Amino acid sequence: MTTTPTKIPIDVSRVQRRVLGVLSAAQIVSGAGVAVGLALSSLVVSRLSGSTVIAGFAGTATVLGAALLALPTARAAGRGGRRAGLTLAYVCALLGSIVAVVAIGLESWQLLLAGLVLVGGGSAGNLAARYSATDLAPPGHAARHLSLVVWASTVGTVAGPNLVKPAQAVAEPLGLTGAAGPFALSALTFAVTALIIAIGLRPDPFILARRIAAPPAPTDLAEPAESAKPAAARDAGGRTLRTAWEALRRSPQARRALAGIAVSHTAMVSVMSMTPVHLDHEGASISVIGIVISVHIAGMYVLSPLVGWLADRIGRRNVMLIGMGVLICAAVLAGSGGHRVTQVGAGLLLLGIGWSCGLVSGSAMLTEAVEIEHRPAVQGMSDLLMNVCGATGTILAGAVVGFAGYGVLGAAVAVLIGLFAVWLVVAARRLTPAAT
């Protein structure tokens, strides 16, 4: 008589609560590290190089790093689970912060830019963390679980810039220059984040979700050895790009989600990046500009749980279309604001809300449109494309504002979003209600 192994029940909801708590804690700490670096990097590069033009490469280096590390992070997740992917990203950010401290001590802006590329791993990890929240989410709850992790980054993002001066003050007694202090603090935050993920993210949500989807013979909670993992997972490292393209080719829904995320991010970054320049030309003070950007950041993150709940209730595509409408209003409002800071600020607030709608709904749509084995690869491709589009949008926005003005940039972004919204509506008619 053959004995069938008894399956040990797994309280998935309890594991998911733990996963969300760990990811949220990691987002808070790492968000502070990313924000500290962004607040100071361009200024330090400017002082070391003596060039405003070279200073502009500081932000580009961080975005480039986030893009370059998106696929390695996805590859590690596909092979060893979310814990492996996120730890890789945050360790790279830790190493980059250490390189930045050394570069400032040596007064080398070239080495500092190289370090900032690795610091981009913090952003890559934060982006990948939102997808980690969806692996064990109950059906119909992916968007709201994802949005909780996005919301958690608000705390670190807001607190980070306020830690710059204390970090500078602490640096000098430790034998570091004041400018190196914030990057030393970033190194500490990324080290703590990596530990939170490595210790707390057990069992790994992706590995557990994969076992639930196709349970193997062993029934305990221990994660399978490398040899016991599916061939697709073991081979993911060598074919991440091919896996992503194949999955996207088979899923029109995934392609629409990917495009929605990329377009939303491009629109947001394009307008946001040039708003401080526009307000400065209109005579606004640094403090006023800071308030406008803070309002924008609040729009990006504070309402994300509401956006996630709405995406689960009325459908991902509908929330994405709402986001496109909000982005159009934002671009027109900000672009026509001129010297009216209140109007420009209102436009930036809507810009953040529209971005949140596109990111949260698009990320949930993308996750649910592909099989679990292919999710890390497709999600990594999404983050890669998102960062590349953001960097390209910043460059093009600068050229548009330089040649034609901030108002023309707003109009161009509104047209871009409008064209995508029309395409989304027309293309989505072939989808079933359940796919939206």
Side-chain angles (χ1 to χ4, degrees), residues 29-30 32-37 40 93-94 97-98 100-101 156 159-168 170-171 174 176-193:
V29 179
S30 64
V34 171
V36 167
L40 196 66
L94 165 62
S97 299
I98 294 173
V101 171
N162 297 312
L163 298 175
V164 170
K165 285 194 175 182
Q168 289 176 327
V170 172
L174 297 176
L176 301 173
T177 62
F183 289 101
L185 176 61
S186 290
L188 177 62
T189 62
F190 291 131
V192 172
T193 304

PDB file of all heavy atoms in Angstrom, residues 29-30 32-37 40 93-94 97-98 100-101 156 159-168 170-171 174 176-193:
ATOM      1  N   VAL A  29      13.906  52.276   6.204  1.00  0.00           N
ATOM      2  CA  VAL A  29      15.335  52.485   6.444  1.00  0.00           C
ATOM      3  C   VAL A  29      16.069  52.803   5.149  1.00  0.00           C
ATOM      4  O   VAL A  29      16.852  53.759   5.073  1.00  0.00           O
ATOM      5  CB  VAL A  29      15.943  51.242   7.126  1.00  0.00           C
ATOM      6  CG1 VAL A  29      17.435  51.444   7.359  1.00  0.00           C
ATOM      7  CG2 VAL A  29      15.247  50.959   8.448  1.00  0.00           C
ATOM      8  N   SER A  30      15.832  52.010   4.112  1.00  0.00           N
ATOM      9  CA  SER A  30      16.546  52.236   2.849  1.00  0.00           C
ATOM     10  C   SER A  30      16.098  53.525   2.174  1.00  0.00           C
ATOM     11  O   SER A  30      16.891  54.200   1.511  1.00  0.00           O
ATOM     12  CB  SER A  30      16.330  51.057   1.896  1.00  0.00           C
ATOM     13  OG  SER A  30      14.965  50.948   1.530  1.00  0.00           O
ATOM     14  N   ALA A  32      15.449  56.281   3.608  1.00  0.00           N
ATOM     15  CA  ALA A  32      16.256  57.347   4.203  1.00  0.00           C
ATOM     16  C   ALA A  32      17.642  57.376   3.571  1.00  0.00           C
ATOM     17  O   ALA A  32      18.178  58.451   3.281  1.00  0.00           O
ATOM     18  CB  ALA A  32      16.358  57.148   5.708  1.00  0.00           C
ATOM     19  N   GLY A  33      18.231  56.201   3.344  1.00  0.00           N
ATOM     20  CA  GLY A  33      19.555  56.148   2.726  1.00  0.00           C
ATOM     21  C   GLY A  33      19.569  56.703   1.326  1.00  0.00           C
ATOM     22  O   GLY A  33      20.485  57.453   0.945  1.00  0.00           O
ATOM     23  N   VAL A  34      18.559  56.353   0.534  1.00  0.00           N
ATOM     24  CA  VAL A  34      18.470  56.878  -0.832  1.00  0.00           C
ATOM     25  C   VAL A  34      18.283  58.390  -0.816  1.00  0.00           C
ATOM     26  O   VAL A  34      18.935  59.124  -1.564  1.00  0.00           O
ATOM     27  CB  VAL A  34      17.315  56.203  -1.589  1.00  0.00           C
ATOM     28  CG1 VAL A  34      17.073  56.889  -2.929  1.00  0.00           C
ATOM     29  CG2 VAL A  34      17.609  54.719  -1.806  1.00  0.00           C
ATOM     30  N   ALA A  35      17.399  58.882   0.055  1.00  0.00           N
ATOM     31  CA  ALA A  35      17.101  60.314   0.096  1.00  0.00           C
ATOM     32  C   ALA A  35      18.300  61.129   0.553  1.00  0.00           C
ATOM     33  O   ALA A  35      18.544  62.233   0.042  1.00  0.00           O
ATOM     34  CB  ALA A  35      15.913  60.567   1.019  1.00  0.00           C
ATOM     35  N   VAL A  36      19.065  60.616   1.511  1.00  0.00           N
ATOM     36  CA  VAL A  36      20.261  61.322   1.976  1.00  0.00           C
ATOM     37  C   VAL A  36      21.251  61.500   0.827  1.00  0.00           C
ATOM     38  O   VAL A  36      21.802  62.591   0.617  1.00  0.00           O
ATOM     39  CB  VAL A  36      20.927  60.566   3.147  1.00  0.00           C
ATOM     40  CG1 VAL A  36      22.321  61.117   3.407  1.00  0.00           C
ATOM     41  CG2 VAL A  36      20.086  60.697   4.401  1.00  0.00           C
ATOM     42  N   GLY A  37      21.478  60.436   0.068  1.00  0.00           N
ATOM     43  CA  GLY A  37      22.409  60.519  -1.056  1.00  0.00           C
ATOM     44  C   GLY A  37      21.947  61.485  -2.131  1.00  0.00           C
ATOM     45  O   GLY A  37      22.730  62.283  -2.652  1.00  0.00           O
ATOM     46  N   LEU A  40      22.416  65.304  -1.434  1.00  0.00           N
ATOM     47  CA  LEU A  40      23.752  65.900  -1.357  1.00  0.00           C
ATOM     48  C   LEU A  40      24.635  65.619  -2.558  1.00  0.00           C
ATOM     49  O   LEU A  40      25.605  66.335  -2.786  1.00  0.00           O
ATOM     50  CB  LEU A  40      24.449  65.384  -0.081  1.00  0.00           C
ATOM     51  CG  LEU A  40      25.681  66.133   0.407  1.00  0.00           C
ATOM     52  CD1 LEU A  40      25.296  67.541   0.871  1.00  0.00           C
ATOM     53  CD2 LEU A  40      26.361  65.384   1.544  1.00  0.00           C
ATOM     54  N   ALA A  93      24.323  48.916  -2.893  1.00  0.00           N
ATOM     55  CA  ALA A  93      24.159  50.287  -2.417  1.00  0.00           C
ATOM     56  C   ALA A  93      25.091  50.576  -1.245  1.00  0.00           C
ATOM     57  O   ALA A  93      25.657  51.676  -1.142  1.00  0.00           O
ATOM     58  CB  ALA A  93      22.707  50.531  -2.013  1.00  0.00           C
ATOM     59  N   LEU A  94      25.273  49.597  -0.367  1.00  0.00           N
ATOM     60  CA  LEU A  94      26.208  49.739   0.745  1.00  0.00           C
ATOM     61  C   LEU A  94      27.628  49.970   0.235  1.00  0.00           C
ATOM     62  O   LEU A  94      28.332  50.889   0.689  1.00  0.00           O
ATOM     63  CB  LEU A  94      26.140  48.484   1.621  1.00  0.00           C
ATOM     64  CG  LEU A  94      27.273  48.254   2.631  1.00  0.00           C
ATOM     65  CD1 LEU A  94      27.322  49.385   3.652  1.00  0.00           C
ATOM     66  CD2 LEU A  94      27.111  46.904   3.316  1.00  0.00           C
ATOM     67  N   SER A  97      28.027  53.438  -1.256  1.00  0.00           N
ATOM     68  CA  SER A  97      28.132  54.487  -0.242  1.00  0.00           C
ATOM     69  C   SER A  97      29.538  54.541   0.345  1.00  0.00           C
ATOM     70  O   SER A  97      30.083  55.620   0.604  1.00  0.00           O
ATOM     71  CB  SER A  97      27.107  54.251   0.875  1.00  0.00           C
ATOM     72  OG  SER A  97      25.792  54.284   0.358  1.00  0.00           O
ATOM     73  N   ILE A  98      30.132  53.374   0.557  1.00  0.00           N
ATOM     74  CA  ILE A  98      31.508  53.330   1.069  1.00  0.00           C
ATOM     75  C   ILE A  98      32.470  53.936   0.041  1.00  0.00           C
ATOM     76  O   ILE A  98      33.381  54.699   0.403  1.00  0.00           O
ATOM     77  CB  ILE A  98      31.904  51.879   1.405  1.00  0.00           C
ATOM     78  CG1 ILE A  98      31.046  51.368   2.572  1.00  0.00           C
ATOM     79  CG2 ILE A  98      33.384  51.776   1.733  1.00  0.00           C
ATOM     80  CD1 ILE A  98      31.242  49.898   2.877  1.00  0.00           C
ATOM     81  N   ALA A 100      31.724  56.190  -2.091  1.00  0.00           N
ATOM     82  CA  ALA A 100      31.490  57.641  -2.067  1.00  0.00           C
ATOM     83  C   ALA A 100      32.251  58.307  -0.926  1.00  0.00           C
ATOM     84  O   ALA A 100      32.825  59.389  -1.100  1.00  0.00           O
ATOM     85  CB  ALA A 100      29.989  57.917  -1.932  1.00  0.00           C
ATOM     86  N   VAL A 101      32.257  57.673   0.247  1.00  0.00           N
ATOM     87  CA  VAL A 101      33.010  58.227   1.387  1.00  0.00           C
ATOM     88  C   VAL A 101      34.494  58.307   1.049  1.00  0.00           C
ATOM     89  O   VAL A 101      35.160  59.325   1.310  1.00  0.00           O
ATOM     90  CB  VAL A 101      32.782  57.361   2.648  1.00  0.00           C
ATOM     91  CG1 VAL A 101      33.726  57.794   3.776  1.00  0.00           C
ATOM     92  CG2 VAL A 101      31.338  57.460   3.101  1.00  0.00           C
ATOM     93  N   GLY A 156      10.921  57.195   5.149  1.00  0.00           N
ATOM     94  CA  GLY A 156      12.346  57.364   4.902  1.00  0.00           C
ATOM     95  C   GLY A 156      12.651  58.482   3.933  1.00  0.00           C
ATOM     96  O   GLY A 156      13.616  59.230   4.114  1.00  0.00           O
ATOM     97  N   ALA A 159      12.215  61.759   5.822  1.00  0.00           N
ATOM     98  CA  ALA A 159      13.180  61.940   6.912  1.00  0.00           C
ATOM     99  C   ALA A 159      14.613  62.080   6.408  1.00  0.00           C
ATOM    100  O   ALA A 159      15.419  62.798   7.019  1.00  0.00           O
ATOM    101  CB  ALA A 159      13.086  60.761   7.875  1.00  0.00           C
ATOM    102  N   GLY A 160      14.926  61.430   5.293  1.00  0.00           N
ATOM    103  CA  GLY A 160      16.298  61.394   4.800  1.00  0.00           C
ATOM    104  C   GLY A 160      16.981  62.745   4.672  1.00  0.00           C
ATOM    105  O   GLY A 160      18.044  62.982   5.265  1.00  0.00           O
ATOM    106  N   PRO A 161      16.417  63.687   3.892  1.00  0.00           N
ATOM    107  CA  PRO A 161      17.080  64.985   3.728  1.00  0.00           C
ATOM    108  C   PRO A 161      17.293  65.729   5.044  1.00  0.00           C
ATOM    109  O   PRO A 161      18.244  66.503   5.177  1.00  0.00           O
ATOM    110  CB  PRO A 161      16.108  65.744   2.815  1.00  0.00           C
ATOM    111  CG  PRO A 161      15.392  64.685   2.052  1.00  0.00           C
ATOM    112  CD  PRO A 161      15.234  63.561   3.033  1.00  0.00           C
ATOM    113  N   ASN A 162      16.429  65.498   6.024  1.00  0.00           N
ATOM    114  CA  ASN A 162      16.577  66.169   7.316  1.00  0.00           C
ATOM    115  C   ASN A 162      17.710  65.586   8.162  1.00  0.00           C
ATOM    116  O   ASN A 162      18.051  66.155   9.210  1.00  0.00           O
ATOM    117  CB  ASN A 162      15.261  66.068   8.103  1.00  0.00           C
ATOM    118  CG  ASN A 162      14.122  66.790   7.406  1.00  0.00           C
ATOM    119  OD1 ASN A 162      14.259  67.918   6.986  1.00  0.00           O
ATOM    120  ND2 ASN A 162      12.983  66.121   7.276  1.00  0.00           N
ATOM    121  N   LEU A 163      18.284  64.456   7.719  1.00  0.00           N
ATOM    122  CA  LEU A 163      19.387  63.834   8.454  1.00  0.00           C
ATOM    123  C   LEU A 163      20.749  64.270   7.940  1.00  0.00           C
ATOM    124  O   LEU A 163      21.778  63.875   8.498  1.00  0.00           O
ATOM    125  CB  LEU A 163      19.273  62.304   8.348  1.00  0.00           C
ATOM    126  CG  LEU A 163      18.011  61.676   8.943  1.00  0.00           C
ATOM    127  CD1 LEU A 163      17.989  60.181   8.664  1.00  0.00           C
ATOM    128  CD2 LEU A 163      17.938  61.930  10.445  1.00  0.00           C
ATOM    129  N   VAL A 164      20.760  65.091   6.874  1.00  0.00           N
ATOM    130  CA  VAL A 164      22.031  65.494   6.265  1.00  0.00           C
ATOM    131  C   VAL A 164      22.883  66.286   7.249  1.00  0.00           C
ATOM    132  O   VAL A 164      24.069  65.981   7.470  1.00  0.00           O
ATOM    133  CB  VAL A 164      21.778  66.309   4.985  1.00  0.00           C
ATOM    134  CG1 VAL A 164      23.085  66.927   4.488  1.00  0.00           C
ATOM    135  CG2 VAL A 164      21.187  65.422   3.896  1.00  0.00           C
ATOM    136  N   LYS A 165      22.329  67.326   7.856  1.00  0.00           N
ATOM    137  CA  LYS A 165      23.118  68.162   8.759  1.00  0.00           C
ATOM    138  C   LYS A 165      23.596  67.409   9.991  1.00  0.00           C
ATOM    139  O   LYS A 165      24.768  67.530  10.371  1.00  0.00           O
ATOM    140  CB  LYS A 165      22.316  69.400   9.144  1.00  0.00           C
ATOM    141  CG  LYS A 165      22.251  70.432   8.016  1.00  0.00           C
ATOM    142  CD  LYS A 165      21.763  71.779   8.514  1.00  0.00           C
ATOM    143  CE  LYS A 165      21.846  72.810   7.383  1.00  0.00           C
ATOM    144  NZ  LYS A 165      21.430  74.160   7.840  1.00  0.00           N
ATOM    145  N   PRO A 166      22.734  66.623  10.671  1.00  0.00           N
ATOM    146  CA  PRO A 166      23.242  65.834  11.796  1.00  0.00           C
ATOM    147  C   PRO A 166      24.366  64.881  11.387  1.00  0.00           C
ATOM    148  O   PRO A 166      25.331  64.702  12.137  1.00  0.00           O
ATOM    149  CB  PRO A 166      22.013  65.068  12.278  1.00  0.00           C
ATOM    150  CG  PRO A 166      20.856  65.895  11.852  1.00  0.00           C
ATOM    151  CD  PRO A 166      21.269  66.516  10.561  1.00  0.00           C
ATOM    152  N   ALA A 167      24.247  64.280  10.202  1.00  0.00           N
ATOM    153  CA  ALA A 167      25.288  63.360   9.729  1.00  0.00           C
ATOM    154  C   ALA A 167      26.596  64.106   9.484  1.00  0.00           C
ATOM    155  O   ALA A 167      27.682  63.590   9.772  1.00  0.00           O
ATOM    156  CB  ALA A 167      24.833  62.657   8.451  1.00  0.00           C
ATOM    157  N   GLN A 168      26.505  65.321   8.960  1.00  0.00           N
ATOM    158  CA  GLN A 168      27.713  66.124   8.753  1.00  0.00           C
ATOM    159  C   GLN A 168      28.368  66.481  10.079  1.00  0.00           C
ATOM    160  O   GLN A 168      29.597  66.471  10.198  1.00  0.00           O
ATOM    161  CB  GLN A 168      27.365  67.396   7.977  1.00  0.00           C
ATOM    162  CG  GLN A 168      27.007  67.148   6.519  1.00  0.00           C
ATOM    163  CD  GLN A 168      26.566  68.418   5.810  1.00  0.00           C
ATOM    164  OE1 GLN A 168      25.958  69.305   6.405  1.00  0.00           O
ATOM    165  NE2 GLN A 168      26.861  68.514   4.519  1.00  0.00           N
ATOM    166  N   VAL A 170      28.253  64.771  12.890  1.00  0.00           N
ATOM    167  CA  VAL A 170      28.836  63.584  13.513  1.00  0.00           C
ATOM    168  C   VAL A 170      30.097  63.142  12.781  1.00  0.00           C
ATOM    169  O   VAL A 170      30.993  62.525  13.380  1.00  0.00           O
ATOM    170  CB  VAL A 170      27.801  62.436  13.535  1.00  0.00           C
ATOM    171  CG1 VAL A 170      28.423  61.136  13.999  1.00  0.00           C
ATOM    172  CG2 VAL A 170      26.626  62.810  14.434  1.00  0.00           C
ATOM    173  N   ALA A 171      30.202  63.455  11.485  1.00  0.00           N
ATOM    174  CA  ALA A 171      31.316  62.963  10.672  1.00  0.00           C
ATOM    175  C   ALA A 171      32.668  63.492  11.129  1.00  0.00           C
ATOM    176  O   ALA A 171      33.658  62.745  11.184  1.00  0.00           O
ATOM    177  CB  ALA A 171      31.086  63.338   9.202  1.00  0.00           C
ATOM    178  N   LEU A 174      34.580  61.832  13.865  1.00  0.00           N
ATOM    179  CA  LEU A 174      34.996  60.493  13.449  1.00  0.00           C
ATOM    180  C   LEU A 174      36.152  60.526  12.460  1.00  0.00           C
ATOM    181  O   LEU A 174      36.586  59.485  11.960  1.00  0.00           O
ATOM    182  CB  LEU A 174      33.813  59.744  12.820  1.00  0.00           C
ATOM    183  CG  LEU A 174      32.620  59.467  13.749  1.00  0.00           C
ATOM    184  CD1 LEU A 174      31.489  58.802  12.980  1.00  0.00           C
ATOM    185  CD2 LEU A 174      33.048  58.600  14.934  1.00  0.00           C
ATOM    186  N   LEU A 176      36.086  62.129   9.477  1.00  0.00           N
ATOM    187  CA  LEU A 176      35.621  62.275   8.104  1.00  0.00           C
ATOM    188  C   LEU A 176      35.324  63.732   7.812  1.00  0.00           C
ATOM    189  O   LEU A 176      35.081  64.522   8.724  1.00  0.00           O
ATOM    190  CB  LEU A 176      34.350  61.443   7.873  1.00  0.00           C
ATOM    191  CG  LEU A 176      34.445  59.935   8.113  1.00  0.00           C
ATOM    192  CD1 LEU A 176      33.067  59.313   8.000  1.00  0.00           C
ATOM    193  CD2 LEU A 176      35.404  59.296   7.117  1.00  0.00           C
ATOM    194  N   THR A 177      35.347  64.098   6.551  1.00  0.00           N
ATOM    195  CA  THR A 177      34.919  65.430   6.177  1.00  0.00           C
ATOM    196  C   THR A 177      33.409  65.526   6.324  1.00  0.00           C
ATOM    197  O   THR A 177      32.706  64.510   6.285  1.00  0.00           O
ATOM    198  CB  THR A 177      35.312  65.750   4.730  1.00  0.00           C
ATOM    199  OG1 THR A 177      34.645  64.826   3.849  1.00  0.00           O
ATOM    200  CG2 THR A 177      36.815  65.632   4.524  1.00  0.00           C
ATOM    201  N   GLY A 178      32.911  66.741   6.484  1.00  0.00           N
ATOM    202  CA  GLY A 178      31.476  66.912   6.672  1.00  0.00           C
ATOM    203  C   GLY A 178      30.662  66.348   5.533  1.00  0.00           C
ATOM    204  O   GLY A 178      29.607  65.737   5.744  1.00  0.00           O
ATOM    205  N   ALA A 179      31.145  66.508   4.298  1.00  0.00           N
ATOM    206  CA  ALA A 179      30.405  66.018   3.133  1.00  0.00           C
ATOM    207  C   ALA A 179      30.322  64.506   3.091  1.00  0.00           C
ATOM    208  O   ALA A 179      29.403  63.942   2.487  1.00  0.00           O
ATOM    209  CB  ALA A 179      31.052  66.540   1.847  1.00  0.00           C
ATOM    210  N   ALA A 180      31.283  63.827   3.730  1.00  0.00           N
ATOM    211  CA  ALA A 180      31.280  62.354   3.720  1.00  0.00           C
ATOM    212  C   ALA A 180      30.292  61.781   4.726  1.00  0.00           C
ATOM    213  O   ALA A 180      29.885  60.622   4.600  1.00  0.00           O
ATOM    214  CB  ALA A 180      32.678  61.828   4.007  1.00  0.00           C
ATOM    215  N   GLY A 181      29.897  62.578   5.711  1.00  0.00           N
ATOM    216  CA  GLY A 181      29.009  62.088   6.759  1.00  0.00           C
ATOM    217  C   GLY A 181      27.704  61.506   6.255  1.00  0.00           C
ATOM    218  O   GLY A 181      27.325  60.380   6.638  1.00  0.00           O
ATOM    219  N   PRO A 182      26.958  62.226   5.392  1.00  0.00           N
ATOM    220  CA  PRO A 182      25.695  61.678   4.889  1.00  0.00           C
ATOM    221  C   PRO A 182      25.866  60.366   4.135  1.00  0.00           C
ATOM    222  O   PRO A 182      25.011  59.479   4.229  1.00  0.00           O
ATOM    223  CB  PRO A 182      25.184  62.794   3.962  1.00  0.00           C
ATOM    224  CG  PRO A 182      25.769  64.037   4.530  1.00  0.00           C
ATOM    225  CD  PRO A 182      27.133  63.633   5.005  1.00  0.00           C
ATOM    226  N   PHE A 183      26.964  60.204   3.401  1.00  0.00           N
ATOM    227  CA  PHE A 183      27.168  58.951   2.675  1.00  0.00           C
ATOM    228  C   PHE A 183      27.541  57.823   3.639  1.00  0.00           C
ATOM    229  O   PHE A 183      27.201  56.654   3.399  1.00  0.00           O
ATOM    230  CB  PHE A 183      28.242  59.128   1.601  1.00  0.00           C
ATOM    231  CG  PHE A 183      27.797  59.973   0.447  1.00  0.00           C
ATOM    232  CD1 PHE A 183      28.184  61.303   0.349  1.00  0.00           C
ATOM    233  CD2 PHE A 183      26.971  59.455  -0.531  1.00  0.00           C
ATOM    234  CE1 PHE A 183      27.762  62.098  -0.708  1.00  0.00           C
ATOM    235  CE2 PHE A 183      26.534  60.235  -1.593  1.00  0.00           C
ATOM    236  CZ  PHE A 183      26.926  61.563  -1.681  1.00  0.00           C
ATOM    237  N   ALA A 184      28.236  58.161   4.735  1.00  0.00           N
ATOM    238  CA  ALA A 184      28.494  57.157   5.766  1.00  0.00           C
ATOM    239  C   ALA A 184      27.174  56.716   6.405  1.00  0.00           C
ATOM    240  O   ALA A 184      26.974  55.531   6.706  1.00  0.00           O
ATOM    241  CB  ALA A 184      29.437  57.728   6.826  1.00  0.00           C
ATOM    242  N   LEU A 185      26.268  57.685   6.605  1.00  0.00           N
ATOM    243  CA  LEU A 185      24.944  57.352   7.127  1.00  0.00           C
ATOM    244  C   LEU A 185      24.187  56.463   6.144  1.00  0.00           C
ATOM    245  O   LEU A 185      23.513  55.501   6.541  1.00  0.00           O
ATOM    246  CB  LEU A 185      24.150  58.623   7.404  1.00  0.00           C
ATOM    247  CG  LEU A 185      22.706  58.427   7.872  1.00  0.00           C
ATOM    248  CD1 LEU A 185      22.659  57.649   9.180  1.00  0.00           C
ATOM    249  CD2 LEU A 185      22.006  59.784   8.026  1.00  0.00           C
ATOM    250  N   SER A 186      24.292  56.765   4.846  1.00  0.00           N
ATOM    251  CA  SER A 186      23.656  55.925   3.826  1.00  0.00           C
ATOM    252  C   SER A 186      24.189  54.503   3.889  1.00  0.00           C
ATOM    253  O   SER A 186      23.426  53.533   3.780  1.00  0.00           O
ATOM    254  CB  SER A 186      23.895  56.509   2.428  1.00  0.00           C
ATOM    255  OG  SER A 186      23.178  57.703   2.238  1.00  0.00           O
ATOM    256  N   ALA A 187      25.507  54.362   4.059  1.00  0.00           N
ATOM    257  CA  ALA A 187      26.100  53.028   4.163  1.00  0.00           C
ATOM    258  C   ALA A 187      25.496  52.269   5.342  1.00  0.00           C
ATOM    259  O   ALA A 187      25.172  51.073   5.232  1.00  0.00           O
ATOM    260  CB  ALA A 187      27.620  53.134   4.318  1.00  0.00           C
ATOM    261  N   LEU A 188      25.327  52.968   6.462  1.00  0.00           N
ATOM    262  CA  LEU A 188      24.734  52.326   7.639  1.00  0.00           C
ATOM    263  C   LEU A 188      23.295  51.893   7.370  1.00  0.00           C
ATOM    264  O   LEU A 188      22.890  50.777   7.732  1.00  0.00           O
ATOM    265  CB  LEU A 188      24.788  53.289   8.823  1.00  0.00           C
ATOM    266  CG  LEU A 188      24.140  52.797  10.126  1.00  0.00           C
ATOM    267  CD1 LEU A 188      24.849  51.548  10.630  1.00  0.00           C
ATOM    268  CD2 LEU A 188      24.154  53.898  11.178  1.00  0.00           C
ATOM    269  N   THR A 189      22.510  52.761   6.734  1.00  0.00           N
ATOM    270  CA  THR A 189      21.104  52.421   6.472  1.00  0.00           C
ATOM    271  C   THR A 189      20.991  51.227   5.526  1.00  0.00           C
ATOM    272  O   THR A 189      20.135  50.355   5.727  1.00  0.00           O
ATOM    273  CB  THR A 189      20.337  53.613   5.871  1.00  0.00           C
ATOM    274  OG1 THR A 189      20.918  53.974   4.612  1.00  0.00           O
ATOM    275  CG2 THR A 189      20.380  54.816   6.794  1.00  0.00           C
ATOM    276  N   PHE A 190      21.850  51.168   4.511  1.00  0.00           N
ATOM    277  CA  PHE A 190      21.773  50.048   3.573  1.00  0.00           C
ATOM    278  C   PHE A 190      22.243  48.745   4.231  1.00  0.00           C
ATOM    279  O   PHE A 190      21.731  47.665   3.907  1.00  0.00           O
ATOM    280  CB  PHE A 190      22.587  50.350   2.318  1.00  0.00           C
ATOM    281  CG  PHE A 190      21.995  51.438   1.464  1.00  0.00           C
ATOM    282  CD1 PHE A 190      22.788  52.488   1.010  1.00  0.00           C
ATOM    283  CD2 PHE A 190      20.652  51.428   1.133  1.00  0.00           C
ATOM    284  CE1 PHE A 190      22.241  53.505   0.232  1.00  0.00           C
ATOM    285  CE2 PHE A 190      20.096  52.440   0.359  1.00  0.00           C
ATOM    286  CZ  PHE A 190      20.897  53.483  -0.095  1.00  0.00           C
ATOM    287  N   ALA A 191      23.215  48.845   5.142  1.00  0.00           N
ATOM    288  CA  ALA A 191      23.648  47.654   5.872  1.00  0.00           C
ATOM    289  C   ALA A 191      22.519  47.126   6.748  1.00  0.00           C
ATOM    290  O   ALA A 191      22.259  45.910   6.788  1.00  0.00           O
ATOM    291  CB  ALA A 191      24.879  47.981   6.723  1.00  0.00           C
ATOM    292  N   VAL A 192      21.828  48.025   7.437  1.00  0.00           N
ATOM    293  CA  VAL A 192      20.700  47.628   8.279  1.00  0.00           C
ATOM    294  C   VAL A 192      19.583  47.032   7.431  1.00  0.00           C
ATOM    295  O   VAL A 192      18.969  46.018   7.786  1.00  0.00           O
ATOM    296  CB  VAL A 192      20.187  48.832   9.094  1.00  0.00           C
ATOM    297  CG1 VAL A 192      18.884  48.479   9.818  1.00  0.00           C
ATOM    298  CG2 VAL A 192      21.237  49.283  10.102  1.00  0.00           C
ATOM    299  N   THR A 193      19.322  47.648   6.266  1.00  0.00           N
ATOM    300  CA  THR A 193      18.274  47.139   5.376  1.00  0.00           C
ATOM    301  C   THR A 193      18.589  45.731   4.894  1.00  0.00           C
ATOM    302  O   THR A 193      17.712  44.853   4.873  1.00  0.00           O
ATOM    303  CB  THR A 193      18.108  48.068   4.169  1.00  0.00           C
ATOM    304  OG1 THR A 193      17.835  49.390   4.610  1.00  0.00           O
ATOM    305  CG2 THR A 193      16.976  47.587   3.275  1.00  0.00           C
TER     306      THR A 193
END
